[in-house]
């Protein structure tokens, strides 16, 4: 089927079924273009929680689609490709977090939104890269078990020295492979360029950045900062939105020691227009979670949304 035909069919079904399409910035350009909203994890969660649509087609990885379902359980949430997971989320286990809680009974469990639903059931509060500092600062507990991203956790820990962090040793493979040297190489060619990175990058990389933030915050910074060149230390899918928002700037994507040669999340790319049409037509790949898991996982998510 031609792309135009695919898009027309998606648009028609979306109207007929009162569906909303949500997309993360790392999705393929053509998906970002047909989405009703493109955003970071926090923005998409809030939209999913408040939407009046009957159906949510979530174009992101599994924990994002699960979060939408948990926050708005009456809606039908469809995930175009259920095989699109987040390798970092899969690094944290329910049993492992339970053990840490036993070891540190006075600690509060702070889970990055990049966790599977079962891990959220044993978490006290959820954070995203956009709000982690604010949420952590709002907690009265001094000891924090931070799951699963050791780099986001370590970045926040440095900003809150009064608290003790027990870091789960998880990481995002695409961001981990972005080295400080790759950024410095671009900086040597473009000395006036600003460097914006995601806090999932490793510590050395984050330390030399001019700006550290969520995907949405990177878009905001890169498209509005002074100067015409910005080095972007996050997944390449974001380039589409950057160019749309401000085509007059130059966005440089550094090389990464990944097999793709750049910061590229294969899982985010598993959703396609064909799969979106398929789920809308057949109403398949619905996110279904056990009711008790949804109820328990909703508590730390709603706590987060009360803070931000
Ligand atoms: P954001 O919340 O910044 O969109 O990050 C989600 C993510 O998975 C980054 O790898
Ligand atoms: Fe997970 Fe990293 Fe992909 Fe984000 S970019 S979904 S953290 S693997």
């Amino acid at each position: 089927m031609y792309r135009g035909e695919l898009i027309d069919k998606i648009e028609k079904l979306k109207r007929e079924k009162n569906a909303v399409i949500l997309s993360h910035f790392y999705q393929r350009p053509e998906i970002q273009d047909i989405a009703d909203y493109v955003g970071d994890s926090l923005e998409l969660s809030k939209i999913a929680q408040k939407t009046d649509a009957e159906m949510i087609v979530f174009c992101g990885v599994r924990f994002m689609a699960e979060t939408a379902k948990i926050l708005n359980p009456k809606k039908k949430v469809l995930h175009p490709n259920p095989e699109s997971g987040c390798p970092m989320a899969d690094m944290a286990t329910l049993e492992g977090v339970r053990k840490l809680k036993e070891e540190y009974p006075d600690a509060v469990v702070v889970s990055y939104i990049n966790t599977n639903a079962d891990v959220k059931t044993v978490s006290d509060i959820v954070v995203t890269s956009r709000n982690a500092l604010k949420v952590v600062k709002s907690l009265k507990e001094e000891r924090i078990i931070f799951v699963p991203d050791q780099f986001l956790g370590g970045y926040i820990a440095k900003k809150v020295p009064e608290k003790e962090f027990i870091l789960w040793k998880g990481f995002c493979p695409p961001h981990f492979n972005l080295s400080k040297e790759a950024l410095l190489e671009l900086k040597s060619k473009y000395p006036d360029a600003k460097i914006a990175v995601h806090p999932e990058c490793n510590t050395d990389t984050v330390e030399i950045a001019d700006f550290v933030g969520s995907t949405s915050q990177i878009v905001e910074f890169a498209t509005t900062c002074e100067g015409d060149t910005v080095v972007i230390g996050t997944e390449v899918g974001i380039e589409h939105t950057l160019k749309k928002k401000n085509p007059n700037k130059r966005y440089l994507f550094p090389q990464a020691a990944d097999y793709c040669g750049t910061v590229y999340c294969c899982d985010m790319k598993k959703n396609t227009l064909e799969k979106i049409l398929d789920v809308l037509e057949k109403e398949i790949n619905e996110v279904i979670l056990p009711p008790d898991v949804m109820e328990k996982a909703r508590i730390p998510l709603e706590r987060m949304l009360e803070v931000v």
Side-chain angles (χ1 to χ4, degrees), residues 24 26 40-41 114 129 175 198 200 214-215:
H24 190 263
Y26 299 164
D40 68 15
S41 320
N114 299 39
S129 56
H175 283 92
H198 197 278
E200 288 172 11
S214 76
T215 47

Side-chain angles (χ1 to χ4, degrees), residues 6-55:
L6 259 173
I7 293 169
D8 287 348
K9 285 196 169 185
I10 290 171
E11 297 286 358
K12 186 165 173 279
L13 279 169
K14 205 180 73 172
R15 279 192 303 274
E16 281 171 13
K17 300 199 174 188
N18 187 16
V20 65
I21 300 180
L22 307 186
S23 166
H24 190 263
F25 291 111
Y26 299 164
Q27 293 291 293
R28 295 166 185 274
E30 61 273 22
I31 294 184
Q32 295 185 43
D33 286 342
I34 54 137
D36 296 287
Y37 300 95
V38 185
D40 68 15
S41 320
L42 182 65
E43 292 166 333
L44 295 176
S45 302
K46 285 182 173 172
I47 293 165
Q49 186 191 35
K50 302 250 158 71
T51 186
D52 293 331
E54 288 303 308
M55 205 181 271

Side-chain angles (χ1 to χ4, degrees), residues 70 117-121 289-298:
I70 293 164
D118 61 343
V119 168
K120 289 190 176 81
T121 65
L289 291 163
D292 60 321
V293 169
M294 288 215 281
E295 257 164 56
K296 285 186 194 151
R298 193 176 306 121

Side-chain angles (χ1 to χ4, degrees), residues 22-24 27 58-62 64 79 84 267-268 271:
L22 307 186
S23 166
H24 190 263
Q27 293 291 293
F58 207 114
C59 304
V61 289
R62 192 180 313 115
M64 295 179 173
H79 191 197
S84 164
D267 278 278
M268 281 281 184
N271 297 316

